[in-house]
Amino acid sequence: MGSPQPAVDKFPETSLWTNSKCLLICALVSLANMQYGLDSACLAALQAMPGFLKVFGYPDPSAPGGYGIGHTFQQLLSSFLTLGSLLSTLFAGPFSHLYGRRPALLLACFLTALGTAIQIGTSSAAALYVGRLILGIGNGFLVTFSNIYCAEVAPPHLRGVMVALFSEWVCVGSVLGAVVTNATKGWLGKGSWRVPLGVLFVVPVVLSAGVWWVVPESPRWEVSRGRYQEGRKALERLRAVRKEDKEGKARLEVEWVEMVRGLEEEKRLASTVGPLDMFRGSDLRRTLLCFGVIATQAGSGSWFYISYSTYFMIVSGLPVDLSFKYSIMKTCIGFIGVNVGMYLMRHVMGRRTLMTTGAVVQGMFMLGMAISATTEAGTRRARDSLIACSALFNFAYNAFVGIASYPVATELVSTRLRSYTVGAAISLGYFLAWLTSFCSPYFINPENMNWGAKYGYIWAGSNFCCALFFFFFLPELKGRALEEIDELFERRVPASKFKSAETSIVSEAIKEVRQRGGIGEGREKPAAVEIVEEREKEV
């Protein structure tokens, strides 16, 4: 590439309304993440539901609700889902490289529907574990490819918002799951837990129909496979520029040229595509940062909170009925946090500042919960503090680290290796989630260490460590095109200088379009169409 120069020719940012078609497509694809919210809410509630415990637990008059549940069963219930997700994300890279994003999403829909059907149709713990494993495989593909797809198709200045739609759907799923489980919690029959699990069919049915009929393939994936005509058509469908919109057409031409130039530069610098390439050259730094960002989801304590929130409240002293009502309240507060976070990320602060601030705030709420459990153990004030700190932690996580982690993780890595790196990072995230789910019962269960809310001390320290990682190592990526980010990493720009660093690829793309006559000006073909034809001749 040429020497970096100020991008004086950049177009002004467009609104969400201008990009409404792309926004709707990303919202549809992000629906995949609703499955995670639904399942998390159901899993957290089922473990405190008498109807479920009557089948999979044991009578215990001394336990809240009259039934107990073994910590081994709790561990396996979470662990098989996590294991399935881990397995799927390990194969995400090669599958996507060969077949694309859309087939991966369709396969995920089939697997999640199959896993749900097995769980509903059994009263056997072993079959339940199989259903959790298959559901986990489907969930892993859903999370990985929905976020990769949105990152690759969104305009640079709206990428954070469009990828962050995953948090909206997670919260919608969590609220829906909490409402349904609250409605069935008093049933003593099998319907009390089969009805909430049946809601898990919503996502695969709606998403598969949408992907089949509405969603185009990622244009960047098409170009990376040498399918330039298909990539161009996919980009035109996503941008939906009107014939009379000259500025929109010019913007489309430049975005296309920029995309093609960036991917060709990637191929020039590295001819191979495979998992080992993640750890070579400038990609090593990008891989480690991506892994670190995804790991902070578990490091914040969110996986513990998601998996055991209702049960955690009960063993910490809240009545069963109040714990279920609280689960609805905290998911609604989380939904508010998501929307606050989207506004902050779009209009107020960059990714790095958002995540650093969030980690500090989350750590403070975890610390407050633990201190109140230490100094006011067994009192009403300790219970009120637990409720308040838990709700505020959920708000803060959704508004800061939760909302920004996937947008940052997906844009940190190169297009050539995105499915491999993000898939491996999410595998690490699921492993850490499994580790959290496996160890947490030992800390909070009365029959084991019985720490209760004092468990927050561990997560407070973990959050403060995450804040240090964000501050010292995470570069600011807000508003950058994916190809600009590639250029900055290839030049090995330090994290502290990313925000002010200037790139050349956008201005060079504009220059190439102008040299070819741009659009209009009496030309028979747009410049980018000529570029497509030239590239396909080379292929």
Side-chain angles (χ1 to χ4, degrees):
M1 295 183 183
S3 59
Q5 56 188 10
V8 294
D9 290 320
K10 277 191 174 180
F11 292 99
E13 293 185 353
T14 52
S15 65
L16 283 170
W17 177 254
T18 304
N19 296 278
S20 56
K21 184 174 182 179
C22 185
L23 176 64
L24 291 173
I25 288 175
C26 286
L28 176 60
V29 173
S30 294
L31 176 69
N33 298 279
M34 181 176 165
Q35 189 80 348
Y36 163 71
L38 279 169
D39 184 72
S40 298
C42 291
L43 179 63
L46 293 184
Q47 297 175 69
M49 191 177 289
F52 182 80
L53 298 179
K54 191 175 181 181
V55 178
F56 297 103
Y58 56 88
D60 185 357
S62 63
Y67 289 92
I69 185 171
H71 68 266
T72 300
F73 178 79
Q74 285 179 301
Q75 291 167 340
L76 293 176
L77 203 61
S78 299
S79 297
F80 274 103
L81 180 80
T82 305
L83 176 61
S85 301
L86 176 64
L87 292 174
S88 70
T89 51
L90 289 175
F91 294 102
F95 186 94
S96 175
H97 178 66
L98 293 173
Y99 303 110
R101 307 341 184 190
R102 290 179 71 249
L105 288 170
L106 292 171
L107 175 61
C109 290
F110 169 75
L111 291 173
T112 51
L114 177 61
T116 299
I118 292 173
Q119 291 180 82
I120 292 175
T122 186
S123 298
S124 163
L128 188 66
Y129 297 150
V130 172
R132 300 294 295 169
L133 179 67
I134 295 174
L135 181 66
I137 294 173
N139 276 356
F141 265 34
L142 286 177
V143 172
T144 300
F145 290 108
S146 61
N147 288 292
I148 287 176
Y149 182 90
C150 292
E152 290 183 343
V153 305
H157 63 288
L158 297 175
R159 187 170 56 245
V161 172
M162 291 190 181
V163 179
L165 288 170
F166 89 92
S167 291
E168 291 275 5
W169 284 116
V170 169
C171 284
V172 169
S174 297
V175 171
L176 179 59
V179 169
V180 173
T181 53
N182 184 64
T184 65
K185 68 179 185 298
W187 303 358
L188 295 180
K190 295 178 180 179
S192 64
W193 51 275
R194 285 177 170 171
V195 169
L197 289 177
V199 180
L200 296 178
F201 280 118
V202 171
V203 171
V205 171
V206 176
L207 181 61
S208 59
V211 170
W212 185 265
W213 296 107
V214 178
V215 176
E217 183 55 85
S218 164
R220 282 184 167 84
W221 180 83
E222 298 278 22
V223 173
S224 70
R225 301 294 291 173
R227 297 154 57 94
Y228 292 93
Q229 290 282 7
E230 291 85 348
R232 172 71 183 189
K233 290 177 182 177
L235 185 63
E236 289 175 348
R237 284 182 62 188
L238 288 160
R239 297 295 176 262
V241 178
R242 298 188 306 274
K243 291 183 179 180
E244 65 274 13
D245 185 1
K246 293 184 178 180
E247 182 181 306
K249 288 184 177 180
R251 190 191 304 274
L252 178 66
E253 301 294 332
V254 171
E255 183 179 2
W256 171 252
V257 175
E258 182 184 341
M259 183 188 303
V260 173
R261 288 175 65 95
L263 290 169
E264 288 182 342
E265 181 69 7
E266 275 195 0
K267 291 179 180 179
R268 185 186 69 80
L269 294 171
S271 58
T272 60
V273 179
L276 295 180
D277 292 317
M278 296 188 298
F279 305 102
R280 293 172 179 155
S282 62
D283 286 310
L284 173 60
R285 177 188 176 194
R286 305 175 77 167
T287 298
L288 294 177
L289 285 171
C290 181
F291 283 13
V293 168
I294 294 297
T296 60
Q297 293 177 338
S300 67
S302 63
W303 283 103
F304 153 69
Y305 189 73
I306 289 167
S307 298
Y308 297 105
S309 57
T310 306
Y311 180 73
F312 175 60
M313 292 295 166
I314 291 174
V315 299
S316 296
L318 268 71
V320 173
D321 187 63
L322 184 60
S323 297
F324 274 91
K325 291 178 179 178
Y326 167 76
S327 69
I328 299 176
M329 180 195 76
K330 62 98 175 174
T331 50
C332 291
I333 290 174
F335 185 71
I336 296 172
V338 166
N339 288 277
V340 170
M342 291 181 75
Y343 179 83
L344 292 175
M345 187 163 52
R346 175 79 175 94
H347 298 289
V348 179
M349 61 182 72
R351 323 282 207 248
R352 180 169 172 260
T353 304
L354 189 76
M355 298 189 80
T356 304
T357 303
V360 173
V361 173
Q362 292 159 200
M364 294 300 293
F365 288 134
M366 281 291 191
L367 187 61
M369 181 173 62
I371 290 175
S372 66
T374 303
T375 59
E376 300 286 344
T379 66
R380 182 180 179 86
R381 283 185 293 182
R383 190 189 76 174
D384 292 345
S385 176
L386 171 65
I387 294 174
C389 288
S390 297
L392 290 170
F393 167 82
N394 195 41
F395 173 87
Y397 175 76
N398 281 281
F400 295 101
V401 173
I403 193 74
S405 55
Y406 276 121
V408 172
T410 51
E411 63 193 2
L412 273 169
V413 297
S414 66
T415 299
R416 180 175 59 93
L417 298 172
R418 183 165 289 115
S419 59
Y420 284 95
T421 311
V422 174
I426 293 177
S427 295
L428 173 63
Y430 279 124
F431 171 75
L432 295 175
W434 167 81
L435 191 63
T436 301
S437 299
F438 189 85
C439 296
S440 292
Y442 287 109
F443 286 92
I444 64 175
N445 273 356
E447 63 187 68
N448 300 118
M449 295 181 69
N450 196 25
W451 278 22
K454 295 177 186 177
Y455 196 30
Y457 282 122
I458 292 177
W459 297 116
S462 178
N463 272 288
F464 295 144
C465 290
C466 291
L468 294 175
F469 166 73
F470 294 140
F471 184 80
F472 287 108
F473 299 104
L474 187 66
E476 181 53 67
L477 307 175
K478 183 176 181 179
R480 297 281 191 184
L482 295 177
E483 289 71 29
E484 285 185 281
I485 296 171
D486 291 341
E487 180 182 340
L488 292 173
F489 274 110
E490 192 60 38
R491 285 164 40 198
R492 303 182 187 277
V493 175
S496 59
K497 297 182 179 179
F498 249 69
K499 187 175 182 179
S500 59
E502 294 171 347
T503 60
S504 63
I505 189 167
V506 176
S507 55
E508 288 180 1
I510 293 175
K511 182 180 178 181
E512 181 173 344
V513 171
R514 284 177 174 169
Q515 287 176 342
R516 294 170 180 270
I519 56 174
E521 303 182 10
R523 294 177 60 84
E524 186 176 337
K525 299 178 182 178
V529 174
E530 293 182 351
I531 294 170
V532 170
E533 293 175 350
E534 287 180 9
R535 298 305 193 270
E536 292 202 329
K537 286 178 182 177
E538 294 172 4
V539 174

